[in-house]
Amino acid sequence: MVGTGRFELPTPRTPSECSTRLSHVPTQLSRLASANRLSGVQISLHQPGRRLLLAAAETGYTVPQMRIATNSLSIHLRLGHLACLPRRARVFTALLAIVCCIALIEPQTASAQTQPARHLLIYAIDVEGGQSTLLVSPSGASLLVDTGWPNVGGRDADRIQQAMRDAGITKLDHVLITHFHTDHVGGVPELVKRVPVGEFIDHGPNREDSDITRRDYAAYLKAIEGKPRRIVHPGDTISIPGLNTIVLTADGDHIKSVPGVTPTPNPYCATEPKWDLDETENPRSTGILVTFGSFRFLDLGDLTKAKEIPLVCPVNLIGTIDLYLVNHHGFNLSNSRAFVDAIHPRVAIMDNGAHKAGSPEAWQTVHESPGLEDLWQLHTAEDSDAAHNSPQALIANLPGSADGAWLKVVVSANGSFTVTNARTGQTKEYPQK
């Protein structure tokens, strides 16, 4: 038997040998054998969802009954005893022993394989100055915020799928499009060719009077035709098991209160200039606040200063934030001081490109925010200077290096989290406060 890869039944023994060997075998086994109910047995091993399914057919017994029967067998029953039984009884007894062993092993194996993850994963994906941010909850449910640029040889869809593989998912439950600029919505047509999507979420019709935005909006509608689409408004929620995800801004409007947050006066409002409202899609960005335990993540797309201020002035409606995805890739049209200082981010990620955004003014505002521990960047801002770039260890993609490295955040419900730079493989820890 050992090393053959198959199970062979022992050669029958003489009657005298059998009378000795069977003297201590339980009578239940004799009854099962003599009942002659074993017309044929098949054990099927199948493993969907990492669970082991046992099926016993044509025995007249269920698997639980077979397990109960095996528990009554003598621990001292050896293969030699099987030789003393009729062939059908020997087959049945051998199978009972196999099922018994699997039954003992299976619960522990299944428990290890199905042990739920206890972390929220956030990937700031490098789409070269656009946005694509993947969130995967401890339950495995997913939300992708924006999809990067159109086609580009499938580059951005490739990078999204790489993050999905790293997170262990093959489909996207929700895809949120913050607004209809090409670096946010442009990747949808390519993405839907590759990845199943549960629903698309956006703020409603395009509001910008420009040919390129009308074109990108039309391409988006064509790509998602026949797929579920939901238009959201401030105060709406996105159902992601394990997370609390609420819409703060959409289509130029903002939430009036955030559940669980007590608005507090913002002393930074007094010195904040009045900002003009631009007429693009940027101020219409759909922005979300994601809460996991005591951890809070803020992503407001490309929201500009005139729409940031109502969220924090005269009172701060949002509260403080653990991780801030810097508005508008770090453009100085966004990231007003009264806003950034009020939300008091512990860590910030700037999804800038090598030659897009990452402006010195916005970088300085975020960098000087009270309580900020680190400002991470997806790229070195090559059009800025060394004084307005973070240390290289905090930058995912350097000049002259291969692009495509992400920043991965792993969050525990107690509020502690880590950030890993895919370029270096190094991880920085942010302990629970």
Side-chain angles (χ1 to χ4, degrees):
M1 258 180 72
V2 178
T4 65
R6 63 183 184 273
F7 190 93
E8 298 177 354
L9 295 176
T11 304
R13 303 287 183 172
T14 63
S16 59
E17 288 178 306
C18 289
S19 61
T20 303
R21 291 182 180 273
L22 288 176
S23 60
H24 63 281
V25 176
T27 57
Q28 183 180 7
L29 179 59
S30 300
R31 293 192 189 106
L32 290 175
S34 60
N36 200 27
R37 298 177 66 182
L38 188 62
S39 59
V41 179
Q42 180 181 2
I43 293 184
S44 173
L45 301 180
H46 185 45
Q47 207 169 7
R50 298 183 177 182
R51 292 178 181 271
L52 185 63
L53 178 65
L54 300 178
E58 302 181 22
T59 63
Y61 294 98
T62 65
V63 168
Q65 289 171 330
M66 293 173 74
R67 286 176 174 165
I68 292 170
T70 59
N71 289 338
S72 70
L73 292 176
S74 170
I75 296 298
H76 301 290
L77 182 61
R78 296 186 295 271
L79 286 175
H81 299 147
L82 297 179
C84 301
L85 298 173
R87 178 173 177 80
R88 287 183 177 178
R90 283 185 284 129
V91 172
F92 182 63
T93 306
L95 290 174
L96 286 180
I98 293 170
V99 172
C100 182
C101 293
I102 294 174
L104 292 174
I105 295 170
E106 180 230 344
Q108 181 177 357
T109 304
S111 175
Q113 291 177 338
T114 61
Q115 182 69 28
R118 291 185 169 86
H119 299 99
L120 162 65
L121 305 179
I122 303 174
Y123 296 81
I125 301 168
D126 176 29
V127 291
E128 308 290 345
Q131 182 180 351
S132 189
T133 308
L134 175 65
L135 292 84
V136 180
S137 77
S139 67
S142 57
L143 167 66
L144 181 71
V145 182
D146 291 331
T147 60
W149 302 84
N151 205 338
V152 199
R155 179 199 67 196
D156 293 350
D158 284 342
R159 293 178 182 181
I160 291 168
Q161 287 186 288
Q162 287 168 8
M164 292 175 62
R165 285 192 290 270
D166 188 77
I169 61 171
T170 57
K171 66 182 181 69
L172 296 167
D173 296 300
H174 314 272
V175 172
L176 168 64
I177 301 301
T178 60
H179 62 298
F180 300 115
H181 280 172
T182 190
D183 58 326
H184 293 255
V185 70
V188 170
E190 182 66 22
L191 184 69
V192 296
K193 295 176 185 177
R194 306 177 178 210
V195 177
V197 176
E199 70 166 348
F200 286 88
I201 302 169
D202 59 66
H203 69 60
N206 165 50
R207 306 292 190 182
E208 182 176 322
D209 183 17
S210 72
D211 289 340
I212 187 171
T213 307
R214 280 191 288 269
R215 182 198 68 195
D216 288 326
Y217 180 61
Y220 167 68
L221 293 181
K222 182 179 179 180
I224 69 170
E225 187 175 3
K227 297 177 173 59
R229 178 193 181 194
R230 180 157 64 107
I231 295 173
V232 293
H233 308 279
D236 289 348
T237 59
I238 301 173
S239 178
I240 306 172
L243 307 180
N244 184 335
T245 306
I246 187 167
V247 176
L248 299 185
T249 61
D251 200 23
D253 198 5
H254 70 275
I255 200 167
K256 301 304 184 286
S257 64
V258 177
V261 176
T262 301
T264 55
N266 181 0
Y268 305 106
C269 297
T271 57
E272 187 67 33
K274 180 176 175 59
W275 301 103
D276 294 331
L277 179 65
D278 69 271
E279 300 299 326
T280 70
E281 269 283 293
N282 290 327
R284 300 186 180 279
S285 290
T286 300
I288 56 173
L289 173 65
V290 179
T291 304
F292 172 52
S294 61
F295 175 87
R296 307 178 86 228
F297 169 61
L298 182 66
D299 179 355
L300 299 178
D302 284 0
L303 201 70
T304 47
K305 290 179 178 178
K307 289 299 182 179
E308 292 172 346
I309 296 302
L311 290 169
V312 295
C313 291
V315 293
N316 180 0
L317 302 175
I318 301 175
T320 57
I321 299 299
D322 295 287
L323 180 64
Y324 169 46
L325 189 68
V326 177
N327 289 347
H328 206 175
H329 322 284
F331 267 119
N332 58 7
L333 297 173
S334 304
N335 302 290
S336 55
R337 187 169 294 277
F339 172 80
V340 176
D341 289 358
I343 65 172
H344 204 81
R346 182 179 183 185
V347 173
I349 291 178
M350 185 179 288
D351 55 356
N352 62 304
H355 298 282
K356 183 184 174 190
S359 68
E361 180 185 347
W363 189 95
Q364 194 67 34
T365 298
V366 176
H367 184 260
E368 292 177 349
S369 176
L372 186 84
E373 296 183 29
D374 284 311
L375 170 53
W376 295 76
Q377 298 173 223
L378 276 181
H379 279 265
T380 301
E382 296 183 39
D383 299 327
S384 187
D385 56 18
H388 295 92
N389 273 287
S390 298
Q392 288 190 354
L394 302 182
I395 301 176
N397 299 281
L398 301 179
S401 67
D403 294 340
W406 62 53
L407 296 171
K408 177 181 177 180
V409 184
V410 179
V411 187
S412 298
N414 65 7
S416 65
F417 60 101
T418 64
V419 180
T420 299
N421 184 336
R423 175 180 61 83
T424 65
Q426 294 182 343
T427 298
K428 183 162 183 182
E429 297 183 358
Y430 299 91
Q432 176 186 10
K433 280 193 170 182

